[in-house]
Amino acid sequence: RMSRHAKKLRDHDINPCVAETDATTKCMNDNNYNKDLCADYFLKYKNCRKFWHGIMMQRKRSGVQPEMPSAEERKRILESMG
């Protein structure tokens, strides 16, 4: 069974970077945990976290709830950006 914390990390409405997390984990598994070979995946994950953290902080300052947009709302935000 997954812990409550692990379930939250897998929840697309809570964690906007599930796909990046999975891709990074797969790369590490496929490359015998050689971080150097997975640098691009780590960068994509870091950029994802940075981007959505900025959105979350902006919404928090504006009093928007919930602070993290839902998966559907995030999809619309990304589509509007091109």
Side-chain angles (χ1 to χ4, degrees), residues 25-38:
T25 302
K26 182 181 180 332
C27 180
M28 290 292 282
N29 288 336
D30 292 350
N31 291 290
N32 203 24
Y33 295 87
N34 182 339
K35 271 187 161 179
D36 295 337
L37 295 176
C38 300

Side-chain angles (χ1 to χ4, degrees), residues 2-66:
M2 274 201 284
S3 70
R4 196 175 306 153
H5 178 71
K7 280 183 186 165
K8 279 174 108 175
L9 291 178
R10 301 297 313 155
D11 185 335
H12 288 270
D13 281 328
I14 295 171
N15 180 1
C17 302
V18 172
E20 289 79 2
T21 302
D22 291 348
T24 302
T25 302
K26 182 181 180 332
C27 180
M28 290 292 282
N29 288 336
D30 292 350
N31 291 290
N32 203 24
Y33 295 87
N34 182 339
K35 271 187 161 179
D36 295 337
L37 295 176
C38 300
D40 287 346
Y41 292 95
F42 281 105
L43 187 60
K44 284 178 188 169
Y45 172 78
K46 185 178 171 186
N47 288 338
C48 178
R49 297 296 304 174
K50 191 175 180 179
F51 176 79
W52 289 112
H53 180 75
I55 297 284
M56 193 173 81
M57 295 313 291
Q58 186 180 1
R59 287 168 64 105
K60 188 175 190 171
R61 282 190 293 274
S62 302
V64 177
Q65 288 293 330

